[in-house]
Amino acid sequence: MNDLSKLTTSTNRQALLESMGLHTLEDVYMHLPYRYDEVKEIWPASEDGKICVEGHIISTPKIFFKGRFSRLSVKVKIKEEEYNVVIFNRHFLRPHLTMGVVVTIMGKLSGHAITASTMLTKSLDEMGGIYPIYSLKEGITDKQFQKYVNKALMISSDHIVDFTPSEYKEKYHYMNKKDALYEVHNPTQKERIVESLKSLKYEEFLKFQLTMQYIRVQRENEAGEAKVFSHQDINAFLKTLPYHLTKDQQEATKAILRDLEKPTIMYRFLQGDVGSGKTVVSSIGLYANYLAGYQGALMAPTEVLAAQHYRTLTQFFKNTDIKIALLVGALTPNKKEEIYQALASGDIDIVVGTHALFQTKVQYKRLGLVITDEQHRFGVKQRKALKDKGKAVDFLVMSATPIPRTLALSLYGDMDVSTIHSMPSGRKPVITKYFRSSSMKPFLKELKDYLESGGQVYVICPAIEDNEDYQMTSAIKIAQGMANYFEPHYHVGLLHGALSDQDKNSVMEKFAANQIQILVSTTVIEVGIDVHNANFMVIYDAERFGMSQIHQLRGRVGRGSKQGYCYLLSKATNEEAIERLQFLESHNDGFEISRYDLETRGPGEVLGSRQSGLATFVIGDVFKDFDILEMARDDAVEMIESYYKYDEYQSYIQTIIENIKSANDYMD
Ligand code: ADP
Ligand code: MG
């Protein structure tokens, strides 16, 4: 029996919950309210007409049906005056609205007419209190969801494991987990909600930090192999590169080479803003590893990106004997088999691919270095699977999500951190302009001139196809429109997540080869694509994207010596949305952008938003709850130390480690 059927027999409802990503009872009760509403009298009406007030019924309700919709109107006496109240789609209220009945009404007042959003046959006193508001799909109300939550909590009552050891609970006066969960879903007081959330966040972070610290200690106790290579050969290789390394690139490279030479295992996190040049640094690591007689693997989150890395490395290593292979799902079984054999026999020196690289059937002769790009898309477990493929595998993790160093240390507590701060010289900041428009009209001439001059263009849309529910510009429609306008003079390509990997690759290859001049895409393009001749980007409905996401997107242009342009289209009238786009016009530093992004998020969000693209937590927010994250880290260090000292901790920590699935979840 599936978990959700314990909550409701309605298969529609079950499907609705599934579509919200809630599959288990735990998923349901861990889906916390994103804010709380407090019911108290608002009368006289607020400036925008909002009211919340008690009254009593003084007429028989009238109902008017139109199709599936209904409109109920009734006269209500409020504070000795008569008002006409209208509420939609609540015809089922009629039998309860008899003369004299007391009701509490929430809604909008204009003159002596009220349009109610809520009307309940309860007095304001009975209604008063704090209500959880959830992020839900249409078809389910907050109340109904709360019922499911409470049922889920009741059924699971004996299985809710509290991972915070009792002495730490006492130290911080934390609530027990069951009570805390019950409180956040059935709030009684603001202070208690805050307390509950704190203890839940702490527990969540603690699990994560314990996993991280455990991995770190394991690694420190693991014997690796010192890799031996000649620095002269490395220098000779550097001379064959098309440019000089920046100072930060040199520093990062040095740290990596030093790690490789050590007899312990490297576990290094390399972060740098988009376009800061991490790929070349990783390639030097791969080269050193090769010189030392080991195989290397470079893993990317998408096939498109893997294919691009493959091309880049092939270029870098063209004057060497290194044999490189690309291993992706789209290959034929025969071709794959060939690669498996060549990896097992040691005929391939470097393999580039997606998660296909760590399937059990892939065996390496002498794997020495694993590099992952954009690692927050990979789980701890997956990383481990890849590392276990060799005896002394060194590990390099690259990420373009710019975060402050302290946070990086806390989030990637099991790793050493290198940061590339500065961009390669000669790089011009992308010129970003915001247009209050839903089409390219304001700069169509400029775009045409640009195409005429031989450049290529990215056009980014928030949706794949048209959808009535969300009025978003769709890639399919725009691609059609662009094709009608520009073809056959220029070729238009379409890229989105619903295409097969093979099709995606082929579109990307054509774009890289300039057989396509205009690439219309959804955000699948976001990660790491590098086509030097494409320096113009247009983003539709820009307000739909996160600021860091736009920053990542525009990092695709202006990557060579040419000037990059990023034009943001938006019809948003919301002042805050406009300010965010304007901020992007005047700022180019990923760190600054992520900070601004955080500071300007709505204060109404009690639980914080999780669009950062970092390790994801269900409850905690790594930025807003940084102090709790740090606390959990320090405690985890302490606990792990005790693990080796005291027996009573062993089984406890072991349980958590076995639960590594949840650590995996943080980074998927
Ligand atoms: P990211 O860090 O986003 O992965 P890449 O490694 O793809 O960035 O590099 C971005 C672009 O910068 C590439 O086109 C690369 O050739 C170029 N590049 C990297 N390092 C330098 C450098 N030191 N000088 C000039 N260009 C560089
Ligand atoms: Mg990259």
Side-chain angles (χ1 to χ4, degrees):
M1 188 163 76
N2 106 12
D3 250 17
L4 299 178
S5 65
K6 295 176 190 157
L7 300 179
T8 168
T9 52
S10 153
T11 47
N12 281 349
R13 272 297 163 75
Q14 289 170 23
L16 191 69
L17 293 173
E18 295 268 359
S19 77
M20 287 163 50
L22 309 176
H23 309 289
T24 65
L25 295 181
E26 187 178 1
D27 290 343
V28 171
Y29 65 70
M30 291 307 275
H31 188 71
L32 303 193
Y34 73 94
R35 67 178 169 91
Y36 295 91
D37 262 1
E38 207 178 354
V39 176
K40 54 178 184 204
E41 186 174 85
I42 308 177
W43 194 272
S46 69
E47 229 167 81
D48 53 353
K50 232 169 99 180
I51 55 132
C52 174
V53 70
E54 183 185 302
H56 64 266
I57 304 288
I58 52 168
S59 77
T60 313
K62 282 194 205 118
I63 295 186
F64 172 73
F65 279 99
K66 188 172 181 200
R68 282 163 46 224
F69 300 100
S70 72
R71 176 183 188 274
L72 183 154
S73 69
V74 66
K75 284 206 163 50
V76 178
K77 192 167 231 176
I78 298 169
K79 316 250 182 216
E80 301 310 318
E81 280 195 62
E82 278 182 27
Y83 292 85
N84 197 30
V85 179
V86 169
I87 188 162
F88 292 95
N89 302 327
R90 301 290 153 79
H91 44 274
F92 48 81
L93 283 176
R94 172 158 57 182
H96 308 284
L97 303 180
T98 48
M99 294 291 257
V101 160
V102 171
V103 288
T104 295
I105 300 165
M106 285 174 240
K108 279 206 163 181
L109 174 77
S110 110
H112 265 68
I114 293 172
T115 309
S117 53
T118 304
M119 177 149 67
L120 292 163
T121 52
K122 280 183 180 168
S123 70
L124 191 58
D125 265 357
E126 286 172 283
M127 290 270 306
I130 307 170
Y131 292 85
I133 307 295
Y134 297 92
S135 146
L136 300 170
K137 286 205 172 162
E138 215 172 292
I140 183 165
T141 65
D142 291 310
K143 261 238 133 71
Q144 285 160 338
F145 187 74
Q146 191 188 26
K147 267 191 200 143
Y148 292 152
V149 168
N150 286 338
K151 204 160 171 187
L153 279 174
M154 204 176 68
I155 301 171
S156 321
S157 170
D158 293 338
H159 313 289
I160 298 178
V161 185
D162 195 335
F163 280 101
T164 311
S166 50
E167 50 183 289
Y168 287 88
K169 279 213 119 86
E170 279 161 31
K171 179 173 161 195
Y172 300 122
H173 306 290
Y174 279 154
M175 267 189 241
N176 109 31
K177 186 173 179 182
K178 251 184 270 178
D179 295 342
L181 281 169
Y182 192 80
E183 176 69 28
V184 293
H185 290 292
N186 301 274
T188 53
Q189 289 166 24
K190 277 185 198 160
E191 296 73 31
R192 277 181 61 86
I193 301 175
V194 172
E195 285 305 308
S196 305
L197 283 175
K198 248 193 215 159
S199 53
L200 291 173
K201 286 171 182 171
Y202 175 83
E203 195 228 16
E204 181 177 44
F205 287 145
L206 182 66
K207 271 203 273 184
F208 172 77
Q209 296 292 7
L210 277 172
T211 310
M212 287 298 159
Q213 293 306 323
Y214 180 79
I215 295 173
R216 184 181 57 79
V217 171
Q218 291 290 93
R219 169 174 62 98
E220 282 168 1
N221 294 338
E222 255 170 334
E225 279 172 28
K227 299 195 163 96
V228 184
F229 47 86
S230 131
H231 282 252
Q232 246 166 336
D233 290 348
I234 300 279
N235 286 333
F237 172 65
L238 292 181
K239 292 216 179 75
T240 68
L241 293 175
Y243 38 70
H244 285 292
L245 295 185
T246 63
K247 210 169 137 281
D248 288 343
Q249 283 174 324
Q250 286 174 24
E251 285 298 315
T253 305
K254 258 192 229 154
I256 291 165
L257 296 183
R258 229 183 298 122
D259 286 352
L260 291 175
E261 285 174 321
K262 279 190 207 157
T264 48
I265 289 182
M266 165 167 86
Y267 213 36
R268 185 165 288 277
F269 180 68
L270 173 61
Q271 64 165 351
D273 206 347
V274 270
S276 61
K278 296 179 291 292
T279 317
V280 64
V281 173
S282 71
S283 76
I284 300 165
L286 285 168
Y287 189 60
N289 179 65
Y290 160 79
L291 290 177
Y294 292 84
Q295 291 168 298
L298 174 58
M299 179 160 68
T302 63
E303 301 214 344
V304 169
L305 193 58
Q308 175 187 293
H309 279 324
Y310 173 73
R311 284 192 294 268
T312 307
L313 291 186
T314 307
Q315 190 61 26
F316 279 152
F317 293 133
K318 65 173 190 271
N319 300 320
T320 71
D321 296 331
I322 296 179
K323 281 185 220 63
I324 312 176
L326 175 66
L327 181 58
V328 287
L331 297 179
T332 64
N334 279 347
K335 185 76 193 140
K336 278 186 201 158
E337 196 50 47
E338 220 173 89
I339 295 181
Y340 297 152
Q341 276 174 18
L343 282 171
S345 66
D347 285 345
I348 289 173
D349 303 305
I350 293 174
V351 63
V352 185
T354 54
H355 50 277
L357 293 182
F358 55 85
Q359 291 167 340
T360 31
K361 50 180 175 252
V362 186
Q363 299 297 327
Y364 295 81
K365 174 135 191 271
R366 218 175 160 215
L367 185 62
L369 176 60
V370 166
I371 301 179
T372 67
D373 197 10
E374 306 301 340
Q375 76 97 38
H376 62 264
R377 309 264 167 119
F378 290 102
V380 170
K381 206 181 187 176
Q382 290 158 310
R383 290 194 271 156
K384 195 171 173 304
L386 193 46
K387 211 175 83 169
D388 288 346
K389 294 230 171 264
K391 268 212 329 260
V393 182
D394 284 310
F395 215 72
L396 179 67
V397 165
M398 303 194 290
S399 168
T401 304
I403 49 171
R405 187 183 161 77
T406 45
L407 183 55
L409 285 173
S410 208
L411 275 183
Y412 307 104
D414 54 329
M415 293 186 258
D416 299 312
V417 177
S418 292
T419 305
I420 303 182
H421 298 277
S422 54
M423 291 287 164
S425 65
R427 185 76 56 82
K428 303 180 189 83
V430 175
I431 293 178
T432 303
K433 281 190 202 163
Y434 148 61
F435 294 87
R436 191 166 185 164
S437 166
S438 52
S439 80
M440 299 196 198
K441 268 208 197 91
F443 53 83
L444 196 57
K445 164 113 189 16
E446 192 180 340
L447 181 70
K448 279 199 250 174
D449 290 347
Y450 172 78
L451 281 162
E452 185 94 358
S453 75
Q456 289 164 275
V457 181
Y458 294 101
V459 179
I460 312 292
C461 302
I464 300 177
E465 51 193 344
D466 281 350
N467 179 327
E468 281 183 23
D469 292 348
Y470 311 98
Q471 300 216 320
M472 289 191 278
T473 307
S474 82
I476 290 176
K477 198 161 135 194
I478 293 296
Q480 192 57 53
M482 300 288 284
N484 289 344
Y485 192 84
F486 285 108
E487 281 184 350
H489 215 58
Y490 304 108
H491 294 287
V492 177
L494 175 63
L495 187 71
H496 57 71
L499 294 180
S500 73
D501 286 325
Q502 233 158 331
D503 288 346
K504 272 189 244 169
N505 281 336
S506 114
V507 172
M508 257 338 281
E509 264 161 34
K510 281 188 190 148
F511 189 62
N514 201 359
Q515 289 158 11
I516 288 174
Q517 286 75 43
I518 303 171
L519 181 63
V520 181
S521 171
T522 57
T523 53
V524 290
I525 206 79
E526 187 179 343
V527 180
I529 296 301
D530 192 28
V531 178
H532 279 201
N533 192 45
N535 290 303
F536 203 120
M537 175 176 282
V538 180
I539 303 181
Y540 274 92
D541 299 340
E543 80 282 358
R544 299 262 179 188
F545 299 90
M547 290 179 79
S548 293
Q549 197 179 16
I550 291 182
H551 182 65
Q552 293 270 333
L553 283 166
R554 73 177 170 187
R556 309 292 124 237
V557 298
R559 290 170 79 85
S561 52
K562 292 232 180 74
Q563 177 64 56
Y565 299 89
C566 177
Y567 287 0
L568 307 172
L569 300 179
S570 171
K571 285 290 271 181
T573 48
N574 172 325
E575 217 164 278
E576 197 184 311
I578 293 171
E579 270 166 25
R580 289 157 74 86
L581 298 176
Q582 284 168 339
F583 191 90
L584 286 164
E585 282 186 299
S586 53
H587 292 79
N588 240 301
D589 177 332
F591 287 83
E592 254 180 80
I593 286 162
S594 69
R595 197 173 309 130
Y596 179 87
D597 196 8
L598 288 164
E599 282 165 7
T600 57
R601 278 187 207 164
E605 291 172 85
V606 178
L607 299 179
S609 122
R610 275 170 232 99
Q611 52 137 250
S612 55
L614 297 171
T616 52
F617 295 90
V618 181
I619 313 175
D621 181 311
V622 295
F623 290 98
K624 287 184 180 158
D625 306 316
F626 183 62
D627 50 336
I628 307 180
L629 182 70
E630 287 279 81
M631 223 160 76
R633 182 168 95 117
D634 294 346
D635 292 348
V637 171
E638 204 174 278
M639 283 179 217
I640 291 282
E641 275 168 13
S642 320
Y643 173 69
Y644 289 94
K645 264 190 259 154
Y646 307 113
D647 288 346
E648 69 257 38
Y649 266 114
Q650 299 235 0
S651 69
Y652 166 68
I653 304 233
Q654 207 53 49
T655 329
I656 293 191
I657 302 314
E658 272 153 25
N659 212 353
I660 202 149
K661 174 195 155 287
S662 42
N664 194 24
D665 292 343
Y666 300 122
M667 295 188 171
D668 280 343

